Amino acid sequence: MLNILAGIGIAFFGFVLQTSVAGFNRKVTGRIQKRYGPVWYQEFRDIFKLFTKRSVTHGWIFDFGVIMAVGGIIGTAMFVPLTTHTLAFAGYDNFFIYVYLIAVGMLGMAMSASGSGNPLASIGVMRALTTMLAYEVPFMIIALTIINLTGTSSLTEIALAQQGQFNWFAIALPLGGIVGFMSLMGMLGKKPFETYIAPAEIASGPMVEYGGKQLGMLLVMHEITVFIEVTLFMFLFLGGAGSIIVFLIKYVLIYTFANMISSVNGRMKIDQVVLFFYKWPLIMAVTQAIIAIYIGWVI
Amino acid sequence: MKSTKFTKFTEKEADAKWWEIGNYFRRNSIWMLMYCTGCGAIELPPAMTSAYDMERLGMGPMATPRQADVLLVTGYLSVKTLRRIIYTYEQMSEPKYVVGFGSCTINGGVYFDSYAVINRLDYYIPVDVYVAGCMPNTEAILNGFVDLMGMMKNKTANGWVKYHENYEWYKANQIQAVGEVHVHDEFHE
């Protein structure tokens, strides 16, 4: 019982943290574009405003999918470790738990968007799943390499291995670190790989028919998803976090860096995204896996 | 002396309180849907980018009518585009506001005697704020939005309530201008 409360607390912490960091990053983007930018709590205002609006429904699949998306993502966030010893369910921090559970939220959103009946939403969902297919392959190769090297798939133990036995894997496996960061950009939907949102092209993709409360819930879901993905990257490649201060510093740095790269890039087409991920990141990931596992060169 | 005894809110007072809280969020996060038919669109890029930077007031462009709070009608409306404006306005989720932009939406502007252009937008959908001028410059646009925020604060930006109350009147005007007003919903018919 206490575990469940702690898990919901972690999900809530992730929501508050990521919403603040996203607001701060809108200011960073503004400064890059020589603008002043909004206040740091602008994202909170946007989400709460959406909850005060009236909204329409497009049938029960539309409503149910939104609830499934938020529920699935909160369920995933309950397993996320904040530091190497702050964990709601000790022993259940296996890497594959996140890979499987995060799909529940994504599929809930896909189901709901398709239920709206808008063709642009279907195109957006198709693009989101194609992008997922593109970045998952190189990311999985690197993740499996790390699991092979450390001999465990528990996130906290991978982080502990990086604090003792190995360097941070972003340094120990330099090619793998680059591939991991590219995949992270794809997961977050940041600019070169933003094909499935594309506001000017397919009218914000899956979100095209959402307004009011449903859109507010989707934004909550999006913030918690980003929290999970950035934390996953931190624990796999940047040595996790020993204390909550270190966690906050690493989190803000990773997300701000991704956002800075995003704000100076254009948007690729969907076939360019797939070709890109299946070309350089895949070659780099396979090379890194061979070097690290069969030759044994780990810095 | 003010009584210190706790009195329970009536339902109406509680609603008013919630409305005030919601108003704070709504006026600080205005998402616009830009309906750029006329020349007015050219004044919007400087308002959004580094020269005037709308985003510091929490405003931003949105892609679809479902997500937007404010319908920004820039320029003249021919009878054909009026039909799309009506469909768009009815798709937006409430509370929703309309900003009419340039003299075309007030009295027809330079197209006042055209057979194909409507003269006054307020006959067809309720307009909360007008920004006058041909063209209004960028400061005037931002001033119009700040006025809209002030109206939200004073609870006078209630065009969408008027649309509900006087729906027959608006509907009659719309039908008179465009003939038939019917949303074809091919997914749920």
Side-chain angles (χ1 to χ4, degrees):
Chain A
M1 189 61 206
L2 213 59
N3 285 352
I4 295 174
L5 282 181
I8 292 173
I10 286 177
F12 182 72
F13 172 81
F15 167 69
V16 174
L17 171 68
Q18 170 54 28
T19 313
S20 318
V21 174
F24 167 71
N25 267 283
R26 279 172 71 171
K27 215 168 178 65
V28 170
T29 312
R31 291 297 163 92
I32 288 174
Q33 296 170 351
K34 283 193 174 182
R35 288 188 288 117
Y36 188 72
V39 290
W40 65 269
Y41 49 91
Q42 182 62 40
E43 292 271 317
F44 285 104
R45 284 175 175 175
D46 288 349
I47 290 174
F48 292 140
K49 175 206 72 176
L50 286 170
F51 280 122
T52 67
K53 291 191 74 169
R54 296 177 188 172
S55 50
V56 293
T57 179
H58 296 277
W60 72 271
I61 286 187
F62 184 75
D63 295 338
F64 173 72
V66 173
I67 295 168
M68 182 176 152
V70 177
I73 285 301
I74 290 176
T76 318
M78 283 165 80
F79 293 95
V80 167
L82 286 186
T83 65
T84 40
H85 44 268
T86 315
L87 189 61
F89 299 94
Y92 287 93
D93 55 341
N94 196 299
F95 170 73
F96 296 102
I97 284 183
Y98 307 104
V99 176
Y100 275 103
L101 276 185
I102 213 164
V104 177
M106 298 287 179
L107 290 180
M109 186 178 167
M111 188 174 85
S112 165
S114 310
S116 72
N118 194 309
L120 293 175
S122 304
I123 295 175
V125 168
M126 188 272 291
R127 287 186 178 194
L129 295 179
T130 315
T131 313
M132 206 190 266
L133 214 64
Y135 66 70
E136 282 288 353
V137 177
F139 183 72
M140 217 31 132
I141 291 175
I142 288 301
L144 291 177
T145 309
I146 289 173
I147 290 171
N148 184 295
L149 287 179
T150 52
T152 171
S153 57
S154 153
L155 273 195
T156 48
E157 283 178 31
I158 288 175
L160 286 175
Q162 292 174 70
Q163 287 161 13
Q165 191 185 353
F166 296 97
N167 277 321
W168 290 358
F169 279 122
I171 299 163
L173 312 171
L175 289 176
I178 295 170
V179 171
F181 194 76
M182 283 179 189
S183 304
L184 180 73
M185 300 278 289
M187 283 183 210
L188 300 182
K190 286 293 180 189
K191 219 33 140 333
F193 315 119
E194 197 209 16
T195 37
Y196 57 94
I197 302 294
E201 191 187 348
I202 53 169
S204 71
M207 301 182 314
V208 63
E209 280 291 331
Y210 292 96
K213 295 182 174 64
Q214 284 107 336
L215 185 59
M217 286 177 82
L218 277 196
L219 287 189
V220 171
M221 176 229 165
H222 175 75
E223 309 292 3
I224 302 180
T225 315
V226 173
F227 165 74
I228 294 169
E229 284 157 351
V230 173
T231 312
L232 204 62
F233 179 81
M234 186 201 300
F235 272 74
L236 282 180
F237 292 100
L238 291 182
S243 69
I244 197 77
I245 306 289
V246 180
F247 178 87
L248 291 177
I249 292 171
K250 281 183 183 172
Y251 188 96
V252 173
L253 285 182
I254 295 171
Y255 188 78
T256 309
F257 187 57
N259 187 51
M260 282 173 157
I261 293 179
S262 167
S263 59
V264 294
N265 266 300
R267 184 171 60 237
M268 286 181 179
K269 289 192 219 163
I270 184 69
D271 43 352
Q272 287 172 330
V273 170
V274 178
L275 268 182
F276 174 79
F277 271 114
Y278 282 175
K279 205 188 280 172
W280 296 114
L282 193 58
I283 292 173
M284 281 156 71
V286 172
T287 317
Q288 183 66 73
I290 292 171
I291 289 176
I293 296 174
Y294 294 105
I295 304 178
W297 288 349
V298 178
I299 300 168
Chain B
M1 193 184 134
K2 212 175 168 187
S3 166
T4 51
K5 204 179 143 201
F6 178 74
T7 49
K8 215 177 151 195
F9 278 139
T10 62
E11 201 173 324
K12 209 173 173 187
E13 283 169 343
D15 275 357
K17 275 277 176 241
W18 274 117
W19 193 255
E20 261 173 37
I21 295 171
N23 257 342
Y24 166 78
F25 292 120
R26 277 190 288 272
R27 73 170 180 269
N28 283 306
S29 158
I30 295 180
W31 289 358
M32 304 178 298
L33 181 70
M34 294 177 288
Y35 199 91
C36 298
T37 50
C39 41
I42 203 70
E43 292 291 333
L44 286 171
M48 275 185 278
T49 50
S50 52
Y52 292 94
D53 186 21
M54 262 180 186
E55 206 187 5
R56 74 198 144 89
L57 304 175
M59 295 191 280
M62 274 292 136
T64 69
R66 299 269 187 223
Q67 302 164 358
D69 307 310
V70 171
L71 177 61
L72 183 62
V73 184
T74 65
Y76 66 90
L77 286 169
S78 71
V79 178
K80 273 189 176 177
T81 50
L82 177 66
R83 182 190 291 276
R84 272 75 198 180
I85 278 282
I86 293 164
Y87 292 167
T88 308
Y89 181 71
E90 296 203 336
Q91 279 183 42
M92 288 166 66
S93 41
E94 289 165 346
K96 50 192 175 184
Y97 311 96
V98 179
V99 176
F101 185 104
S103 42
C104 294
T105 52
I106 300 174
N107 56 11
V110 291
Y111 304 102
F112 71 98
D113 57 351
S114 166
Y115 66 93
V117 171
I118 59 143
N119 281 357
R120 191 172 154 185
L121 180 61
D122 209 7
Y123 284 148
Y124 309 100
I125 53 174
V127 181
D128 292 293
V129 174
Y130 282 115
V131 182
C134 184
M135 292 299 304
N137 64 0
T138 316
E139 287 98 334
I141 297 165
L142 283 178
N143 189 42
F145 277 110
V146 173
D147 282 355
L148 179 65
M149 286 175 195
M151 284 172 71
M152 284 185 198
K153 194 173 183 180
N154 305 331
K155 299 177 192 143
T156 46
N158 46 9
W160 59 281
V161 182
K162 281 183 201 151
Y163 191 70
H164 277 295
E165 285 167 358
N166 307 319
Y167 185 65
E168 279 79 28
W169 186 77
Y170 282 113
K171 187 85 178 174
N173 284 343
Q174 290 166 4
I175 288 175
Q176 195 195 5
V178 302
E180 173 209 27
V181 181
H182 174 60
V183 182
H184 292 284
D185 180 3
E186 61 261 37
F187 296 111
H188 300 105
E189 262 169 12

